Amino acid sequence: MIGKLISFSLRNRMIVLLIAAGLFGWGIYSVSTNKVDAIPDLSENQVIVFTEWMGRSPQIIEDQITYPLVTNLQGMPQVNYVRGVSMFGMSFIYIIFEDKTDIYWARERVLERLNYANRLLPEGAVPTLGPDGTGVGHILWYTLDAPDMDLGEQRAIQDWYVKFALQNVAGVSEIASFGGFQKQYQVTLDPNKLTYFNLSVPEVMAAVRANNNESGGRKFEMSDIGYIIKTTGYLKSTEEIENIPITTQNTIPIRVSDIATVQMTGESRLGIFDLNGEGEAVGGIVVMRYGENAAQVIANVKAKMEEVSVGLPKGVKFNIVYDRSGLINESVNSVKATLIEEMVVASVIVFIFLFHWRSALIIIIQLPLSVAIGFILLNAFGISSNIMSLTGIALSIGVIVDDAIVMVENAYRHLAEAQMKENHG
């Protein structure tokens, strides 16, 4: 069979050249469309369910949130196992699906189960799905360089301007903010004053909640003009919160300021983000969506940062602290350099030993053609260009060179012997 194939190829060289040219063109297209990343994604096919119920101990979280969710999320199709983790104020459920399962189909199945499981959870505990990213989806970290701005203002810029802009970039699953202070109005109750006025904490909470609301009215017409009536009741300052009446005793209103202290402060934190030992910083983590091209997503995020920088306050700029594109470019350039070096070395050696430029040309053509066909197969099996796959191609180049040298030398020797016999005959 091999003999017939070789004989057919020799008799139909134009067909063989056209097939090779077609495969090379297809390979070049595959190289340009292949997903590029630095490291292979070996993480499990999982969906994360996160539930926050702050102020509760891990045991309460385990009994009232983690256990009901785990028992109701079990038994779904194509699920290998379900893991649950309980910690102070938070619960994490990891549903591990089979590798062949489509991630978005899996998320839909989890949402169906959560619709039923919600009724088993305490009031105020709402489970949410984690981002549709993987364990290696953190492709870029950045901080805001704002030396003359406090951490609360920096976090406000990150949460209400930068985050919303970068989330619109194609391929980005989430922008996870970190560092700084999240502003909030904090009401600190005095237990002695609560006892004196015979008030409870739920009464104070109900009064504040009821006054931080807006009610709609009806529409009426006067002089052929329509008017819409509404009340504006949202709280906008600490003074407005302090003046909220809770109850009336002996015709005297008891206000929040009589039993508590109101201040603008930051939300309680369980940790800080320090940058190079130079102090706290505010920034975000770019999480890539499942199955996206890491190199392209990073390029798109950087381009979007250039646009966002125009709207930042004076003196504020981005500081990229982790960028995977550097490792990606080094990996790709390493394979390119290896390919060129081996092509040159093999061609020179063949030319020196055989002193035949056409034999050297065969090796020069064979190497890039083989690599191009390899990228066709990478795309066919959904494998990205990463350190592992590119290293495999680099190692295989040596084998291809060896085979090419052996075949060319063997063909050259047989042709030379045939010519000698023909001349002597």
Side-chain angles (χ1 to χ4, degrees):
M1 178 179 177
I2 295 178
K4 291 181 179 179
L5 182 61
I6 295 175
S7 178
F8 175 81
S9 300
L10 290 174
R11 291 192 182 94
N12 302 275
R13 284 176 289 181
M14 186 58 64
I15 296 177
V16 174
L17 291 175
L18 289 175
I19 293 175
L23 289 174
F24 185 72
W26 188 7
I28 294 298
Y29 173 76
S30 299
V31 171
S32 63
T33 58
N34 186 250
K35 298 173 183 176
V36 183
D37 203 344
I39 51 181
D41 185 6
L42 303 178
S43 59
E44 295 175 309
N45 195 4
Q46 67 179 4
V47 177
I48 302 175
V49 178
F50 168 69
T51 310
E52 189 175 33
W53 200 30
M54 296 308 297
R56 276 72 177 186
S57 67
Q59 186 61 50
I60 296 297
I61 296 292
E62 175 72 22
D63 295 339
Q64 299 196 31
I65 295 181
T66 304
Y67 179 78
L69 287 179
V70 169
T71 53
N72 279 273
L73 290 173
Q74 288 177 337
M76 288 187 296
Q78 302 182 29
V79 171
N80 287 336
Y81 40 85
V82 180
R83 301 171 181 162
V85 178
S86 302
M87 58 186 66
F88 179 76
M90 292 178 285
S91 168
F92 291 89
I93 311 295
Y94 300 89
I95 304 99
I96 312 300
F97 287 83
E98 298 175 1
D99 290 338
K100 64 179 181 180
T101 306
D102 179 72
I103 186 64
Y104 295 104
W105 180 89
R107 292 171 68 88
E108 289 177 1
R109 301 289 80 76
V110 173
L111 281 174
E112 288 178 359
R113 287 296 185 95
L114 287 181
N115 289 335
Y116 171 79
N118 276 337
R119 65 182 182 83
L120 304 175
L121 302 182
E123 184 179 356
V126 180
T128 57
L129 291 186
D132 52 343
T134 66
V136 294
H138 293 192
I139 57 175
L140 188 141
W141 289 42
Y142 66 88
T143 60
L144 297 179
D145 187 3
D148 299 327
M149 187 177 294
D150 65 75
L151 294 173
E153 292 294 332
Q154 292 184 40
R155 183 58 184 260
I157 294 173
Q158 162 62 24
D159 286 342
W160 301 103
Y161 176 60
V162 176
K163 178 178 179 179
F164 294 152
L166 296 184
Q167 276 184 340
N168 290 326
V169 176
V172 173
S173 173
E174 181 188 30
I175 304 295
S177 301
F178 58 78
F181 293 92
Q182 293 179 275
K183 290 184 178 181
Q184 64 177 200
Y185 292 109
Q186 192 174 88
V187 179
T188 306
L189 299 175
D190 188 333
N192 295 324
K193 293 181 179 179
L194 282 176
T195 303
Y196 177 80
F197 290 109
N198 195 26
L199 294 173
S200 63
V201 175
E203 288 180 295
V204 180
M205 294 173 60
V208 174
R209 185 178 293 112
N211 282 271
N212 186 35
N213 199 358
E214 186 169 302
S215 301
R218 63 186 296 272
K219 175 185 176 182
F220 74 95
E221 294 185 2
M222 184 173 63
S223 301
D224 295 330
I225 299 176
Y227 295 90
I228 299 175
I229 302 175
K230 70 180 184 68
T231 61
T232 302
Y234 288 123
L235 300 171
K236 299 179 180 179
S237 65
T238 57
E239 290 76 14
E240 291 182 359
I241 300 176
E242 290 174 344
N243 291 326
I244 292 176
I246 302 171
T247 185
T248 301
Q249 296 181 2
N250 299 325
T251 69
I252 300 175
I254 308 300
R255 296 180 173 86
V256 172
S257 59
D258 296 326
I259 51 92
T261 302
V262 182
Q263 59 182 346
M264 171 76 78
T265 183
E267 186 179 356
S268 299
R269 303 189 298 173
L270 300 178
I272 64 173
F273 184 87
D274 180 86
L275 181 62
N276 298 329
E278 299 175 355
E280 291 189 52
V282 176
I285 303 172
V286 180
V287 182
M288 181 181 67
R289 185 170 287 116
Y290 179 86
E292 292 289 338
N293 188 337
Q296 186 62 46
V297 174
I298 293 174
N300 293 340
V301 169
K302 289 182 177 179
K304 191 67 175 180
M305 282 182 171
E306 295 292 333
E307 299 179 15
V308 174
S309 299
V310 179
L312 291 174
K314 186 178 181 180
V316 180
K317 59 182 180 180
F318 287 106
N319 175 33
I320 297 178
V321 296
Y322 169 72
D323 181 4
R324 195 187 293 174
S325 61
L327 184 57
I328 292 173
N329 294 332
E330 289 178 6
S331 303
V332 175
N333 293 335
S334 175
V335 174
K336 289 181 179 178
T338 302
L339 178 61
I340 295 173
E341 289 171 2
E342 297 206 10
M343 284 171 50
V344 172
V345 171
S347 302
V348 169
I349 291 176
V350 171
F351 185 76
I352 291 175
F353 277 87
L354 301 180
F355 210 70
H356 191 251
W357 67 270
R358 294 176 66 182
S359 299
L361 183 63
I362 293 174
I363 296 176
I364 294 176
I365 295 174
Q366 184 177 358
L367 281 177
L369 179 61
S370 302
V371 173
I373 295 174
F375 274 94
I376 295 175
L377 298 176
L378 287 180
N379 276 1
F381 290 99
I383 302 174
S384 65
S385 298
N386 53 65
I387 290 178
M388 297 294 291
S389 59
L390 294 179
T391 302
I393 292 177
L395 293 175
S396 66
I397 288 175
V399 180
I400 296 171
V401 170
D402 293 342
D403 293 341
I405 291 175
V406 171
M407 295 300 294
V408 168
E409 192 276 335
N410 189 43
Y412 184 85
R413 180 172 60 84
H414 280 80
L415 289 172
E417 292 177 354
Q419 288 180 355
M420 289 178 62
K421 291 179 179 178
E422 182 179 349
N423 293 333
H424 288 296

